[in-house]
Amino acid sequence: MTNVTTDPAKTTPATTLDALVIGAGFAGLYQLMCLRDRLGLSVKTLEAGAGVGGTWYWNRYPGARCDSESHAYWYTFSPELMREWTWSERYPGQAEIMRYLNFVADRFDLKRDIQFNTRVTSAHYDAAANRWNVRTETGESFTAKYLITAVGCLSTANVPKFPGLESFQGKWYHTGQWPHEGVDFTDKRVGMIGTGSTGIQAAPVIAAQAAHLTVFQRTANYSVPAGNVPLAPDFQQYVRDHAAEIRAVTRDTLNGMAFRIETRLAMETPPEEREKIYEAAWERGGLQFRASFQDMMASKEANDTAADFIKRKIRSIVTDPKTAALLSDIDHPYAAKRPPIDTHYFETYNRPNVSLVDVKSVPISHISPNGVCTGEAEYPLDIIVFATGFDAMTGPMLRMDIRGRDGVALQDVWAGGPRNYLGLQIAGFPNLFTITGPGSPSVLCNMPVAIEQHADWISDCIAHLRAKGLERIEAKPESVEKWVAEVNDVASKTLLPLAKHSWYLGANIPGKPRVFMPYAGGMVRYREICDEVVAHGYEGFILA
Ligand code: NAP
């Protein structure tokens, strides 16, 4: 159905919808299904990529794999769906996750309502019509009463502005915009900048193929072995038989994971016993390492015991003492930055074709036609891999021109950092909902768990508005004030803000406000708060 948008500046006929979803990753797919199939709304999803998958569509770099275990990294809204899908490995790889999301999209016939290759450039709220007018890069217009951004937290690639990049004679790639046809590293001198979760996954795979890999490390990072393995048939059967119990655990844990944090305290455990516990956790592998002790993320002293254990492990694995010292010279508490897990990352530095360059003491100055240059040396390269992360959480929202009531721009409202209520709604932006944005547990939680909670909450909210004959929901400014204070307060009670250079704080992007962005109070508490708000008649929102 088409009609002419109410914005006089635009003349193209706009597609009229009840709801518009931006993004077709985990979040957008489920939100589309909820609104279309449960609520019976007319809904369309606009997606910049040529297929579903979101972060997994773009991040095709070598070694890309999820750090959540597969039995917890899927949708849980449908018991049938959980019975129909079987993961093949302990951690699902990028290609398998893409197969899964395509399976889900086809299973629920979602693709017919997704418009691919369509990047949203602006979304303006028209108060008189109570509609969001949305424009795309190709000049198409859409108008919808409800706008839901499912744009992900880590979808705006950060390529540092090194002078001279355009003069580089070789090829360069950002891991989050990886070519679909892959990159052949055979006989190539490869430089990789960045040692976050991505670089740590990619390095061993690139090193196995390239003539030489030079890793440029600014901040040394912890990592624990992932322990990835193909799943045995009996474990796959166990997951099918116990899917409901596993789901219940993921909804009952701080981080939405299928494991519980131990109640014991590191500081009350004798050192020899503590060592055995860490050793067993290291052998078991994975993000569970940080669940070894209850106090690990609350007490610096307790955290030091974990940090010290991992640093000793690094020094025992890496044979060259200078490289080992650089890799283990870590300046922040364990897991205060998102903790990576790996497959033979530290072992990779024992290969003769791998070298590590410290760009903390001597930073990268520029890129020359030949390669990467620091103040001390030029490193000749054929390929540069930027594993340099993302303008996280706010970046995907702010790169669209979003304007609320009276034409107020989100860029201005968020100039000092993200400001919203429950991570769900922004004052002055009625009927705009954000999924797993700043102010919600999002990146501190196993994503599908956080996504299902948000999409369900938003769907229930829209159903409530319709049932009551209401047109609009909008966060009250004072609720935003309180929520921003709450997000800061809960973060300050953890060790997370001690990592001064983390993307959680926006510190990886020059000029970005330093604000701790995700809600660190845990998914369980967050779910309770959201439910209480509903129980009190959408307390903190204006419903009109
Ligand atoms: P990241 O954690 O932000 O790491 C970026 C790396 O690039 C850091 O080592 C950073 O150094 C370095 N860097 C950035 N700018 C630089 C510059 N100008 N000069 C030198 N080095 C520079 O990004 P990421 O590794 O892509 O990971 C981002 C997030 O994505 C993760 O934290 C995680 O949440 C998610 N992720 C998940 C998975 C998974 O589940 N499997 C895999 C990959 C990523 P500094 O530390 O000094 O800034």
Side-chain angles (χ1 to χ4, degrees):
M1 175 182 167
T2 60
N3 72 13
V4 175
T5 168
T6 48
D7 183 343
K10 301 185 182 96
T11 50
T12 47
T15 303
T16 300
L17 301 157
D18 294 325
L20 187 81
V21 179
I22 308 176
F26 256 100
L29 290 178
Y30 181 52
Q31 187 68 81
L32 167 62
M33 199 209 74
C34 290
L35 297 179
R36 187 192 70 181
D37 300 346
R38 290 189 196 152
L39 268 57
L41 304 190
S42 66
V43 194
K44 203 174 245 314
T45 293
L46 303 182
E47 164 57 54
V52 302
T55 198
W56 300 106
Y57 176 88
W58 300 103
N59 284 270
R60 294 166 188 249
Y61 59 86
R65 185 177 292 285
C66 183
D67 289 346
S68 296
E69 287 168 297
S70 55
H71 60 278
Y73 196 76
W74 56 353
Y75 294 112
T76 65
F77 64 84
S78 159
E80 296 77 31
L81 179 63
M82 291 166 89
R83 270 196 298 277
E84 289 164 19
W85 185 261
T86 303
W87 293 108
S88 69
E89 293 179 89
R90 179 174 173 190
Y91 303 92
Q94 179 270 340
E96 190 169 21
I97 300 172
M98 284 294 284
R99 283 196 295 279
Y100 172 68
L101 289 173
N102 274 286
F103 169 74
V104 173
D106 293 334
R107 164 86 164 65
F108 294 96
D109 193 17
L110 299 175
K111 288 179 187 167
R112 70 181 153 93
D113 288 308
I114 305 172
Q115 186 171 315
F116 294 108
N117 301 305
T118 305
R119 185 174 286 283
V120 170
T121 50
S122 69
H124 294 180
Y125 178 65
D126 175 347
N130 188 35
R131 290 207 148 251
W132 282 92
N133 296 325
V134 173
R135 299 270 289 183
T136 70
E137 214 164 46
T138 49
E140 274 183 280
S141 303
F142 298 83
T143 171
K145 185 187 263 189
Y146 308 105
L147 177 64
I148 300 102
T149 61
V151 291
C153 299
L154 298 158
S155 49
T156 305
N158 166 43
V159 179
K161 293 185 176 43
F162 294 123
L165 179 57
E166 66 295 340
S167 72
F168 182 54
Q169 294 297 298
K171 297 230 180 325
W172 67 266
Y173 308 93
H174 187 281
T175 52
Q177 295 169 337
W178 203 256
H180 286 202
E181 64 280 13
V183 176
D184 185 5
F185 296 106
T186 314
D187 299 331
K188 300 282 193 262
R189 295 163 304 172
V190 183
M192 188 184 77
I193 305 171
T195 53
S197 298
T198 300
I200 282 175
Q201 284 188 334
V205 187
I206 297 174
Q209 204 188 50
H212 191 90
L213 171 67
T214 306
V215 178
F216 297 90
Q217 170 186 281
R218 188 163 66 182
T219 307
N221 215 339
Y222 300 95
S223 185
V224 169
N228 187 39
V229 283
L231 291 176
D234 59 343
F235 184 80
Q236 292 169 325
Q237 189 56 45
Y238 177 88
V239 172
R240 270 192 292 277
D241 293 345
H242 296 82
E245 286 160 56
I246 296 168
R247 176 180 196 261
V249 175
T250 62
R251 289 164 67 94
D252 192 36
T253 53
L254 191 74
N255 296 328
M257 294 293 185
F259 54 80
R260 295 188 187 278
I261 297 173
E262 297 290 345
T263 50
R264 65 189 168 215
L265 301 177
M267 297 325 293
E268 288 181 3
T269 305
E272 314 78 63
E273 198 184 324
R274 206 165 52 207
E275 187 76 3
K276 278 190 199 146
I277 289 168
Y278 284 139
E279 197 63 56
W282 181 271
E283 283 306 310
R284 193 171 51 241
L287 292 172
Q288 261 144 296
F289 188 89
R290 71 182 154 173
S292 303
F293 294 101
Q294 184 70 223
D295 48 350
M296 205 192 275
M297 291 314 296
S299 147
K300 173 76 169 56
E301 224 184 342
N303 191 285
D304 284 346
T305 64
D308 174 63
F309 177 87
I310 299 174
K311 288 175 186 177
R312 279 188 280 121
K313 277 287 181 194
I314 297 170
R315 289 192 289 267
S316 75
I317 295 169
V318 180
T319 49
D320 173 52
K322 193 167 163 254
T323 307
L326 278 176
L327 288 167
S328 58
D329 182 17
I330 308 174
D331 65 3
H332 52 275
Y334 171 64
K337 284 184 165 186
R338 159 69 152 75
I341 58 174
D342 71 88
T343 302
H344 308 312
Y345 173 66
F346 294 115
E347 290 84 347
T348 294
Y349 292 95
N350 295 336
R351 296 177 63 110
N353 69 332
V354 176
S355 47
L356 181 68
V357 175
D358 168 22
V359 293
K360 188 177 204 171
S361 45
V362 187
I364 296 171
S365 55
H366 65 285
I367 310 285
S368 72
N370 289 331
V372 170
C373 302
T374 67
E376 273 179 356
E378 180 183 72
Y379 298 86
L381 300 166
D382 303 306
I383 296 175
I384 303 174
V385 174
F386 286 91
T388 43
F390 303 88
D391 181 356
M393 308 202 77
T394 51
M397 292 290 287
L398 293 178
R399 75 172 160 184
M400 297 182 284
D401 172 24
I402 301 180
R403 287 170 194 266
R405 201 185 285 289
D406 304 322
V408 171
L410 185 61
Q411 277 99 342
D412 293 332
V413 178
W414 282 10
R419 305 183 60 74
N420 61 23
Y421 181 37
L422 303 175
L424 280 163
Q425 273 220 324
I426 305 153
F429 295 71
N431 291 354
L432 167 66
F433 300 91
T434 52
I435 302 187
T436 63
S440 79
S442 57
V443 293
L444 299 178
C445 183
N446 179 28
M447 268 296 171
V449 175
I451 284 168
E452 283 190 341
Q453 186 270 348
H454 262 188
D456 285 340
W457 193 97
I458 292 165
S459 308
D460 291 348
C461 173
I462 292 175
H464 173 82
L465 296 178
R466 289 162 65 82
K468 300 278 175 199
L470 297 162
E471 288 293 312
R472 248 188 350 263
I473 180 162
E474 181 178 351
K476 289 182 184 169
E478 58 269 32
S479 325
V480 171
E481 291 302 318
K482 274 198 220 150
W483 188 248
V484 170
E486 172 75 7
V487 171
N488 271 312
D489 185 51
V490 290
S492 70
K493 292 186 177 126
T494 71
L495 301 179
L496 292 165
L498 296 187
K500 298 282 176 227
H501 302 292
S502 113
W503 61 256
Y504 291 156
L505 274 163
N508 62 327
I509 302 295
K512 189 165 171 169
R514 304 258 170 135
V515 175
F516 194 85
M517 294 183 285
Y519 173 74
M523 194 60 213
V524 175
R525 178 66 195 129
Y526 177 79
R527 190 189 295 273
E528 276 169 12
I529 295 170
C530 290
D531 290 348
E532 282 162 18
V533 162
V534 174
H536 293 107
Y538 289 89
E539 191 173 29
F541 291 96
I542 305 160
L543 280 74

